[in-house]
Amino acid sequence: MRVVVHSIGEVKEDEEGKIGVELLCVVKAVLKKIKRRVLVGDKVLVGGIDWNDKRGMIENVYQRDSEIMDPPVANVDHLLVLFSLGQPKMEAFALTRFLIEAESTGIPLTLALNKCELVDEKTRLVWESRLRGWGYEPVFCSVDTRNGLDSLYFILRDQTTVLVGPSGVGKSSLINVLRSSQQVSDASEGDNQSVNIEGSKWLEEQRVGVVSVKSGRGKHTTRHVSLLPISGGGYLADTPGFSQPTLLKATKVSLPQLFPEIRKMIGDSGPTTCSFNDCLHVGERGCVVTADWERYPYYLQLLDEIKTREEFQ
Ligand code: GDP
Ligand code: ZN
């Protein structure tokens, strides 16, 4: 595992250059024994560092603030949901499924709409007001013309972000653009001492799959996830996240909370709550959630889907 040194505790003057140095680390046996899996994005304690050989040992893993499994990344603090305004065309229900899946992680999200150079101003404005009605403030961008990328840089700053969205919307293209303009860290060669330094470190991981026995040709499958530093601070996972929402994290009880429109009706306006605690907002007596909003039919459809799934579980 490759670990980028993030901080080294009490920094002495001659050690300043060590921030940003990448170390090849093994995981301490005791962590493996208790099946403590180390993920990309984990903050880890590294000991037994040999700065000359750039090697060390992961001795402990700090508690995670969040984690996602596709791709496996810990301490994600931001999801960037990417859709495209044209090719493939935006579809409101498909977008809703993605937003609900992203909301169900509990990680804050930003919605960005790519390929905006493919549509006229009027189409863009119609989507903008529609999405505002849903409770989102979309960022319009174009990887091709570089329009709007400045706003994205600003939003990604100082956060660890995973990009999600359906295939074909430009996720890989966006990652490549951000990668090519990333700041190259000025890693120093370090000195010859072998030292033990405590502190939190950022982690990168590269995993190589099993040789395919069947083909016998030694074909490797490589799974690689790493965090790209972004200029201005922050990291972006170099592998996009889910491209098909499963909605498995959502339950019929949690679903209403995943719609900003419902959150607003229930929470923001004071002590307005439905009469029943387990209200599903489908016309119960004393329900404060009205039906006069655009995505209400989508809410009902997803509620049905989740209820059916829960009945068969
Ligand atoms: P992914 O499946 O989400 O990773 O999408 P890709 O990054 O592979 O992009 C799919 C296609 O969209 C490629 O042919 C890209 O060149 C193209 N593409 C990406 N961004 C833009 C854009 O801003 N405008 C246009 N017109 N095409 C784009
Ligand atoms: Zn209700």
Side-chain angles (χ1 to χ4, degrees), residues 201-272:
K201 322 281 187 284
W202 282 95
L203 182 86
E204 291 200 337
E205 176 191 25
Q206 181 162 32
R207 208 177 313 132
V208 179
V210 194
V211 176
S212 163
V213 178
K214 205 174 172 194
S215 80
R217 277 181 276 142
K219 203 174 161 199
H220 291 263
T221 49
T222 308
R223 183 142 193 247
H224 181 107
V225 191
S226 67
L227 295 177
L228 305 168
I230 303 165
S231 56
Y235 294 90
L236 179 72
D238 72 344
T239 308
F242 61 87
S243 59
Q244 235 160 14
T246 60
L247 305 182
L248 288 175
K249 269 196 166 171
T251 64
K252 68 172 189 274
V253 177
S254 72
L255 185 68
Q257 287 300 322
L258 309 180
F259 280 85
E261 302 97 316
I262 298 184
R263 290 203 294 262
K264 200 168 167 209
M265 279 186 254
I266 290 180
D268 291 359
S269 40
T272 45

Side-chain angles (χ1 to χ4, degrees), residues 125-138:
L125 288 174
V126 168
W127 271 113
E128 186 168 33
S129 87
R130 222 175 142 180
L131 295 168
R132 279 194 180 147
W134 297 9
Y136 298 98
E137 201 58 56

Side-chain angles (χ1 to χ4, degrees), residues 138-258:
V139 176
F140 291 92
C141 66
S142 164
V143 175
D144 270 16
T145 67
R146 302 289 191 269
N147 218 329
L149 295 190
D150 283 354
S151 317
L152 283 184
Y153 272 117
F154 188 75
I155 290 163
L156 299 181
R157 217 181 31 171
D158 292 331
Q159 313 199 67
T160 296
T161 300
V162 172
L163 194 54
V164 298
S167 69
V169 297
K171 295 184 298 297
S172 317
S173 311
L174 179 60
I175 289 169
N176 281 335
V177 170
L178 297 174
R179 181 204 304 264
S180 60
S181 49
Q182 83 194 49
Q183 263 176 357
V184 180
S185 64
D186 180 26
S188 93
E189 284 301 304
D191 54 31
N192 293 328
Q193 298 166 12
S194 191
V195 279
N196 271 308
I197 297 174
E198 289 194 340
S200 59
K201 322 281 187 284
W202 282 95
L203 182 86
E204 291 200 337
E205 176 191 25
Q206 181 162 32
R207 208 177 313 132
V208 179
V210 194
V211 176
S212 163
V213 178
K214 205 174 172 194
S215 80
R217 277 181 276 142
K219 203 174 161 199
H220 291 263
T221 49
T222 308
R223 183 142 193 247
H224 181 107
V225 191
S226 67
L227 295 177
L228 305 168
I230 303 165
S231 56
Y235 294 90
L236 179 72
D238 72 344
T239 308
F242 61 87
S243 59
Q244 235 160 14
T246 60
L247 305 182
L248 288 175
K249 269 196 166 171
T251 64
K252 68 172 189 274
V253 177
S254 72
L255 185 68
Q257 287 300 322
L258 309 180

